[in-house]
Amino acid sequence: MNANKLRLIGYSFVFLGLLVAPAIGAYPIFVMKILCFSLFAAAFNLLLGYTGLLSFGHAAFLGGAAYAAGHSIKAWGLSPELGLLLGTLSGAVLGLLIGFFSIRRQGIYSTMITLALAQMFYFVCLQAPFTGGEDGLQGIPRGMLFGLVDLQNDLVMYYVALAVVTAAFLLIVRTIHSPYGQVLKAIKENEPRAISLGYDTNRFKLLAFVLSAGLAGLAGSLKTLVLGFATLSDVHWTSSGHVILMTLVGGMGTLSGPIVGAAVVVLLENKIGELGQFFAALSGVEWFNSLGESVSMVTGLIFVICVLTFRSGIMGELTVLIERARAWLFSNGDKPVSGEQKE
């Protein structure tokens, strides 16, 4: 069985697991939150893992789209599908503006431009009247999808969110395996050589920026629709740090890595208190009970461990182990079999 078949089987099991998750007791809102951040991380990975562009400004796309979708649905009365579309377009437009300036510099200078512009956008959101300032947008209704499907039901909303995230993930897969995706990989590996082959690398990088920002905007719009609010934390630089952490923990440059990384980080952020209580009961150390108040410390520790021990991330290291196991099995299978073994 080749690697592609193994991946297909793995993705099929994950999708089936998500389909039956509510039936086996999973809380739909919590799983939808993981789905939204998985899409956010996958969009970021398209830019960093496959194009080699590090952005510290992806929070602007997530939060900007969240505000756009939330305001349009709450204040203008748009339907949820139009709100999602407007949010996605808002993220893409922001990506076009920020990407236009950042791709004209290389390395850390490009990264710092994305951070500076994203922080400027954060202060715009802080002062703009339609964002609600520090209170954020609250009470955003889910409404009726296409005027037919009532999204107020959490179970219905769950399967709509799953369908949207699955479609977006398939778009990312198709993009990566397309000729355009191969050019992006060439730019990441050796941009001067790609230029020498006649490619306008700035045009390809800008398109990747817009596509990544649009998908991040879709994630932000969907999160707003699911949770019913959009706040300043969505556009704060810490959201950009979180998506970098998710991508690195899961495995940069892998399709499944951002999904795994998002699940790990969101689970830790929401369940670290329960984990601390378990360790306190197990060890008798009272300090573990306060672990839920130290989420930033725990996520920072995970980041340090990831950088020092497994730089390829969870899925990157798992892929290497699977390849080694396959190579070992094939090498043993090629050895001659003795007469005793035949009997």
Side-chain angles (χ1 to χ4, degrees), residues 159-283:
Y159 286 109
V160 170
L162 178 60
V164 171
V165 172
T166 302
F169 183 73
L170 291 175
L171 174 62
I172 293 174
V173 173
R174 182 67 188 93
T175 301
I176 290 170
H177 291 97
S178 68
Y180 168 72
Q182 300 306 309
V183 175
L184 294 183
K185 294 176 185 177
I187 292 173
K188 178 188 176 184
E189 295 297 327
N190 195 329
E191 185 174 352
R193 186 171 183 180
I195 294 173
S196 70
L197 292 173
Y199 293 108
D200 184 356
T201 56
N202 278 346
R203 182 166 61 89
F204 281 92
K205 289 192 292 186
L206 182 59
L207 183 54
F209 222 107
V210 172
L211 181 58
S212 176
L215 291 170
L218 177 59
S221 305
L222 187 62
K223 186 174 82 72
T224 296
L225 193 63
V226 169
L227 301 179
F229 59 83
T231 63
L232 284 174
S233 62
D234 295 329
V235 291
H236 198 259
W237 66 267
T238 52
S239 292
S240 297
H242 272 127
V243 76
I244 295 173
L245 177 64
M246 291 171 186
T247 305
L248 292 179
V249 169
M252 184 180 67
T254 62
L255 286 170
S256 56
I259 301 173
V260 174
V264 169
V265 173
V266 174
L267 278 169
L268 281 174
E269 287 182 344
N270 288 268
K271 302 297 182 181
I272 191 67
E274 298 176 13
L275 189 63
Q277 292 174 4
F278 171 76
F279 284 137
L282 190 66
S283 62

Side-chain angles (χ1 to χ4, degrees), residues 81-154:
E81 66 274 8
L82 291 179
L84 289 176
L85 180 60
L86 180 63
T88 304
L89 290 176
S90 300
V93 170
L94 283 171
L96 179 63
L97 293 174
I98 294 178
F100 178 80
F101 293 103
S102 67
I103 63 171
R104 280 159 173 73
R105 294 293 181 266
Q106 299 289 332
I108 189 63
Y109 303 104
S110 172
T111 302
M112 294 310 295
I113 287 174
T114 62
L115 176 61
L117 293 176
Q119 283 301 100
M120 287 175 59
F121 184 73
Y122 167 81
F123 287 109
V124 170
C125 292
L126 179 63
Q127 299 294 332
F130 69 90
T131 62
E134 294 182 354
D135 296 328
L137 281 175
Q138 306 289 336
I140 300 169
R142 291 179 181 173
M144 301 284 290
L145 185 67
F146 299 111
L148 300 172
V149 182
D150 186 10
L151 298 182
Q152 296 299 328
N153 187 309
D154 286 345

